Amino acid sequence: MLALGVAAQAAGTLVVTAPALLIPHLHAQGMPLAQAGLLAAAPTAGMVLTLIAWGAVTDRIGERIVIAGGLVLTTLAVAGAWLADDDTVLLGVAFLAAGMTSASTNAASGRVVVGWFPKERRGLAMGIRQMSQPLGVTLAAVTVPRLAEASGIRSALVLPVVLCAVLAVVCAVGIVDPPRPSRPATTTAAGDAGAAASTANPYRATGFLWRIHAVSILLVVPQFTLSTYGLVWLVTLGWSTATAGLLVGAAQFVGAIGRILVGFWSDRVGSRVGPLRVVAVSAAAVMAVLALVDVAHLPAAAVVLVVATSVTVADNGLAYTSVAEAAGPSWSGRALGAQNTGQFIAASAVGPGIGALVGLVGFAGSFLLVAALPVLALPLVPRADRSHD
């Protein structure tokens, strides 16, 4: 279940990432950068529109149908982009549809992992599941630009089409929906109360989920600041683009390993919010150190960037697992959809927002201001976990 969840999510990430990696080819063909950037943003916009809806569907009909069916729809959407080729309008519509359909793998693959792993091993499992993003990004990075440059857009989109189609079949055959608590057959008041509690809206019961969502939105800004502008920052320090790109890629993989280790740590200590609090403090610290490196021109830029990248992505699995556990099996799909929606909206604002901030106060000032966000997140981290297990 874990392997299929990772593979499905990686395929979805490949689809969403591919349009951004087509920008050099599109620009070389005469498309303005602003227009190419709009095409690249279409899949993310599509995901924001449908994440919560896919979560609700998953809560109702189960993970296997949503993942397999979503991958079928994603295959058709990317095939539509393949047919559109150089038609900008149709290409944009197809990429938007691809984002809308690939969002099915986000909440549903997370639910598979949460449902099949016991609480004491769930953090590690979710940390492994979170590796799907760097795997998808890496697969896109090593195939899409080269194929587009060599043979055009259609060639670059063959792998996403084939991979989604194959995984749709594999997931339809291989995924088994995790067991869900059934409604008690008893007609006693206690039985009715237990059933009502298992299906009650967790957003109305406490503010726990709202607080985790808010914390994640604040903590995703440092993460995307580094993934978006880390390479640019290194180039301003005198690095070549090629060398800086290799370092940024390596940092992403170190960060993926860090997610696994943090998930394992949360299993060992029996808490998600405790490690989440430590990660928030660490994120503020590493962003402040980056500001110092920039101001003082210290020679440790590479090491600090790798550490900072690892720290700022470490909260993802913790928060994701915490949301699923607190929401319970009847609401986790919608809650995970809401979790991803908030993060994607915040992440989409990082590009233009931090870009403008760098223009005003430079990288050091921007890093220092971003360091304040994890500090703001600290009092929002709940003091104790909530779980339906």
Side-chain angles (χ1 to χ4, degrees), residues 151-192:
S151 308
I153 292 176
R154 285 186 169 178
S155 177
L157 294 178
V158 169
L159 178 62
V161 170
V162 173
L163 187 61
C164 288
V166 170
L167 282 174
V169 176
V170 173
C171 289
V173 174
I175 287 181
V176 178
D177 289 346
R180 303 188 187 198
S182 58
R183 184 180 179 90
T186 178
T187 58
T188 64
D192 290 341

Side-chain angles (χ1 to χ4, degrees), residues 10 23 30 40 89 98 109 112-113 129 136 195 210 228-229 240 243-244 246 260 279 285 292 322 338 372 376:
I23 288 179
V89 175
S109 64
V112 166
V113 176
R129 183 261 181 193
W210 293 110
T228 305
Y229 289 102
S240 69
T243 306
L246 287 175
I260 296 175
V279 169
L292 178 62
S322 182
L376 294 176

